[in-house]
Amino acid sequence: MKKRILVVDDESSIREALSKVLHAEDYEVVSAENGQEAIVKFGADKIDLLLLDLGLPVKDGWGTLKWLAQVNPLLPIIIITGRSNQRELAEKAGADALMEKPLDVPQLLQTIHELMEEPMK
C-alpha cells in the first residue's frame, strides 16, 4: 500500500511541484492550501507524513501543527518554510524536521524516506 503524504502550502505552484516529485517516488499525495483544510483532510484520510508550510491563511502552520501533533503524536511532520530561524520553535512544537525554501528536493526526499522507515516508538 502506498504511503500517503499530506502537503499543506498556500502556494499552488509549490503544492503541484511537490505532488509531481512525490508521485514519482510512488507516494500518494493529498493537498491542502490552508491549515483548516489540512485538518479536514487529515480526518478524512489515513496520513503517513505531513509536509507543512508555516505561513498559511485561515489557520496558520503553528496552530495546525499543534492540533495535529496532539491528535497523532507519532505522525512524522516536516515543516517547509521560507522563514529563517524557525528550527528550534519547530522542534519544540513537535516537528520532526524543518526545511527552508527553496527546498533541496533530494534532501527532502531523503528526510521523508528516513521518517517513513522509522519504527514506531
Side-chain angles (χ1 to χ4, degrees):
M1 192 162 127
K2 285 186 181 184
K3 298 280 188 175
R4 187 174 289 138
I5 297 176
L6 177 56
V7 176
V8 187
D9 198 299
D10 58 326
E11 292 182 48
S12 62
S13 60
I14 291 175
R15 288 194 312 272
E16 289 167 15
L18 285 171
S19 290
K20 285 180 186 172
V21 167
L22 295 170
H23 281 297
E25 295 293 316
D26 208 30
Y27 293 114
E28 192 175 322
V29 179
V30 178
S31 295
E33 64 183 55
N34 63 61
Q36 190 61 46
E37 187 181 341
I39 288 170
V40 169
K41 291 192 174 185
F42 181 82
D45 291 311
K46 179 190 178 294
I47 301 297
D48 298 296
L49 184 135
L50 174 67
L51 286 176
L52 180 66
D53 186 21
L54 293 176
L56 298 171
V58 185
K59 185 171 187 75
D60 74 358
W62 292 118
T64 305
L65 173 61
K66 183 178 179 186
W67 188 89
L68 291 172
Q70 286 177 339
V71 171
N72 184 353
L74 299 177
L75 176 70
I77 299 171
I78 301 173
I79 298 290
I80 52 174
T81 184
R83 300 177 188 173
S84 58
N85 303 319
Q86 301 294 304
R87 187 169 310 280
E88 191 175 321
L89 289 170
E91 288 171 0
K92 284 181 181 173
D96 295 285
L98 179 136
M99 303 195 73
E100 290 185 13
K101 296 175 186 174
L103 294 171
D104 176 337
V105 173
Q107 180 64 46
L108 176 64
L109 292 173
Q110 178 67 32
T111 302
I112 289 171
H113 181 73
E114 288 170 3
L115 289 172
M116 294 281 214
E117 299 303 313
E118 282 183 359
M120 296 295 271
K121 293 176 181 115

